[in-house]
Amino acid sequence: MRPALALSALLALTPAAHALPDKAFDEAARTVKVEQTTPAGSVAHKIIDVDPRLWVEVEAPDSETRTAVSDAGVSIEEVLAGKASGFALPAAIEALRKTGLKFKALPLKSRFHPEDFPKEDAAFHNYAEMSAELSALAAQGAGLASLFSIGKSLQGRDLLALRLNSAASGNEASARPGIVFMGNHHAREHLSAEIPLLLAKYLINNREKPEIKALLAARDVFIIPMVNPDGVEYDVDGDRYHMHRKNMRQNPDGSAGVDLNRNYGFHWGEGGASTDPGSDTYRGPAPFSEPETQSVKAFIEAHGNLTVLLSFHTFSELILYPWGHTHAPIPDAPALAAYQAMARTMAAWNGYKPQPSSDLYIASGDTTDWAWGARGIFSFTFELTPKSMWSGGFYPGAAAIASTFQANLRPALYLIDMADNPRRAGAPQQAASRETTVTGGR
C-alpha cells in the first residue's frame, strides 16, 4: 500500500540549508544574435517534409554502452529490455556502425505513422490556450496568484510563469522558500505542460483547505508550463504531429532547432550532447545560446530563495536526479542522501523508478545538473507516462492527462513541503521512518 502524504506537519518548518554550488562550470550566457531571414517555421517545414531521421534499436544493456550510443549521435528516447532506442541521422548510423554494437534502423515512417491531430487530443493546450488558462487562473486566484513573463522565446512568445505567493507578486523578491515547476523544454512532450498546469489549478481550487492553505502560506511556488512555446506550436502545426523536440532556431545547415535541455552552462558540451545541428540532441553553438535557456537562467538567478526545481519531461516513468554529465555521484554526501530519500519517497507514490540521470546514459548541459551544480538547487527530472514508445510514447492521448496528474500530485505537494530544507529528507530519523515501495521502469 502506498504511504499517504502527511501534510499535518507542514507548519513544522526547519531552517533552510544551502548546498555549495560549483561555479567552475557555470558558463555565462552568451548573447547570440539570430537573424530571421525567412518566415518563422518555413525552414522547419522543409526539413520535416523530408525528415532524414531513422528510428534505431541498439543492444545496450548498461549505462556505459548506452553512453556510447548517445555519443554516436543517437537521441535515446527509450531504454527497455536491454535495448536503447531513439532517433538518429544517417551520420549517427555510420558512427554507430563503427562502435560494433548490434542495432537495427527503420525509416521514421515505418516506425511511426503520421496522422491528423486527433480530436480527442484537443484537451492538450497549444500556446494561446495555455496563455488563456494561466490568465484565468491568475484572475481566479487573486490575492494569491500572479502571472508574468520570464522572457521571450526565439520567435517572440512570452515564457509565462504563474506565481502562487500571497505576500509577493510577479518578479518581486520573497523570503519564503521557493520551488519552480517547469514543462515543455522539449516540444513534442505535451503531457509535460499539462501536469504543472493541473497542479496550478489544484492549488488554487483548494487554497482554502487547511493543509493546502498552510502550505501556500509558507512557500513561494512558480509554475512555468511551457519553456519551449515555439517548438510546441510547430509540433502541432498543420493538424499533424511533427515529432519535433528542439526550439526553432534556424541553424546554418538549414536544420531547425537546439535541444534546450543540452544548452545549460554547467559542463556544457561534454558527453551526450551533439555538435550536429540536425541531431535531436544538438547542444547549440554556445552555452545558454538560446533566449529560452537565457530566460530560465536569469529567472532562477533573480530568485535566490529557490531551493527545489522539478522539470517535467516524457516519457519512461522515471525520477531522475544529478548527475547527468558523469557517472560519479554528487560529492556532497548529505545532499546525496537527501536526493535518494526524496526520490524513493516520491517513487512510492507514483510508481516511477528513481535513479541518477547518468544511470541511463551520460548527457551534459541539462537543466537539473546546472540548477544543482551552479545554484545549489535540489533538482529533479520526472519522465512521465507512458513507459514506452509502444504504449503511446510522446503522444499518449488525452486519457493520460488526468491519471498522470493524480499519480504525481503527492510528489509535487511533497516537494513544495520539502522546499524549506530539502536536506532534512536525508536525516537518519526521517529515512528510517519512511515506507517506500519502488516500482516502475523504463
Side-chain angles (χ1 to χ4, degrees), residues 95-126:
L96 199 56
R97 284 196 177 97
K98 294 178 181 178
T99 67
L101 295 172
K102 295 181 179 179
F103 71 94
K104 62 179 179 179
L106 297 169
L108 203 56
K109 289 184 179 180
S110 296
R111 180 63 172 81
F112 308 107
H113 302 283
E115 57 183 338
D116 289 340
F117 195 94
K119 292 181 180 179
E120 59 267 25
D121 277 5
F124 289 91
H125 293 77
N126 62 25

Side-chain angles (χ1 to χ4, degrees), residues 17-295:
H18 299 284
L20 296 175
D22 177 358
K23 299 291 186 182
F25 288 89
D26 184 17
E27 294 282 353
R30 302 181 190 178
T31 302
V32 177
K33 184 178 180 182
V34 178
E35 296 185 4
Q36 195 72 35
T37 57
T38 57
S42 63
V43 171
H45 275 292
K46 179 180 178 182
I47 293 299
I48 295 295
D49 286 343
V50 290
D51 196 335
R53 293 175 298 173
L54 295 96
W55 179 258
V56 295
E57 296 177 354
V58 189
E59 298 290 340
D62 53 50
S63 178
E64 289 76 11
T65 309
R66 292 190 290 270
T67 296
V69 174
S70 178
D71 286 343
V74 178
S75 170
I76 298 177
E77 308 295 348
E78 178 178 285
V79 176
L80 275 177
K83 292 182 179 180
S85 304
F87 300 108
L89 292 168
I93 298 297
E94 291 305 313
L96 199 56
R97 284 196 177 97
K98 294 178 181 178
T99 67
L101 295 172
K102 295 181 179 179
F103 71 94
K104 62 179 179 179
L106 297 169
L108 203 56
K109 289 184 179 180
S110 296
R111 180 63 172 81
F112 308 107
H113 302 283
E115 57 183 338
D116 289 340
F117 195 94
K119 292 181 180 179
E120 59 267 25
D121 277 5
F124 289 91
H125 293 77
N126 62 25
Y127 177 73
E129 293 165 343
M130 179 65 73
S131 301
E133 288 274 14
L134 293 173
S135 295
L137 285 171
Q140 180 186 344
L144 170 67
S146 59
L147 184 64
F148 67 103
S149 173
I150 69 167
K152 298 280 189 179
S153 70
L154 184 67
Q155 294 179 345
R157 295 180 174 91
D158 282 308
L159 307 182
L160 295 175
L162 186 72
R163 185 180 193 179
L164 304 182
N165 187 329
S166 59
S169 63
N171 252 322
E172 294 175 351
S174 175
R176 294 180 181 180
I179 182 171
V180 57
F181 298 91
M182 295 190 291
N184 257 148
H185 266 83
H186 292 148
R188 61 196 175 205
E189 299 173 12
H190 303 288
L191 186 59
S192 72
E194 301 302 323
I195 305 310
L197 175 63
L198 284 177
L199 176 62
K201 289 183 178 181
Y202 177 88
L203 292 171
I204 289 173
N205 289 337
N206 293 279
R207 60 187 292 192
E208 296 303 324
K209 289 185 176 180
E211 65 273 18
I212 302 301
K213 187 174 184 178
L215 192 65
L216 293 174
R219 299 290 182 268
D220 193 13
V221 181
F222 295 90
I223 296 171
I224 307 173
M226 202 171 279
V227 175
N228 182 10
D230 299 349
V232 168
E233 287 297 283
Y234 174 68
D235 192 55
V236 297
D237 183 58
D239 293 330
R240 68 181 180 93
Y241 294 125
H242 294 279
M243 199 70 73
H244 188 70
R245 172 182 171 102
K246 301 180 287 183
N247 75 349
M248 295 305 293
R249 168 182 287 278
Q250 180 180 332
N251 296 321
D253 68 347
S255 65
V258 167
D259 182 349
L260 298 180
N261 209 38
R262 299 293 186 274
N263 191 239
Y264 287 80
F266 189 78
H267 287 266
W268 175 86
E270 297 182 0
S274 179
T275 59
D276 184 346
S279 170
D280 270 12
T281 59
Y282 175 49
R283 67 197 189 196
F288 294 111
S289 62
E290 305 312 296
E292 295 88 352
T293 53
Q294 290 176 23
S295 295

Side-chain angles (χ1 to χ4, degrees), residues 394-411:
F394 301 112
Y395 309 111
I401 297 175
S403 60
T404 303
F405 172 67
Q406 288 301 320
N408 287 285
L409 175 58
R410 284 181 174 179

Side-chain angles (χ1 to χ4, degrees), residues 6-7 9-17 177 215 219 308 334-335 337-339 341-342 378 413-434:
L7 288 175
L10 290 178
L11 296 180
L13 306 181
T14 56
L215 192 65
R219 299 290 182 268
V308 179
Y339 265 119
M342 285 191 283
F378 278 79
L413 295 176
Y414 169 76
L415 286 178
I416 297 172
D417 176 26
M418 295 300 295
D420 68 307
N421 178 14
R423 288 173 177 264
R424 64 186 166 92
Q429 63 270 23
Q430 294 275 349
S433 64
R434 186 174 292 114

Side-chain angles (χ1 to χ4, degrees), residues 77 182-193 195-196 225 227-228 245 259-262 264 309-320 352 361 366-368 380-386 393-394 404 408 442:
E77 308 295 348
M182 295 190 291
N184 257 148
H185 266 83
H186 292 148
R188 61 196 175 205
E189 299 173 12
H190 303 288
L191 186 59
S192 72
I195 305 310
V227 175
N228 182 10
R245 172 182 171 102
D259 182 349
L260 298 180
N261 209 38
R262 299 293 186 274
Y264 287 80
L309 177 152
L310 174 54
S311 182
F312 290 106
H313 286 255
T314 69
F315 55 91
S316 287
E317 301 186 357
L318 299 171
I319 295 175
L320 305 176
Y352 294 3
Y361 50 86
D366 83 338
T367 316
T368 52
F380 294 89
T381 294
F382 277 20
E383 294 283 358
L384 299 168
T385 297
F394 301 112
T404 303
N408 287 285
R442 187 175 187 176

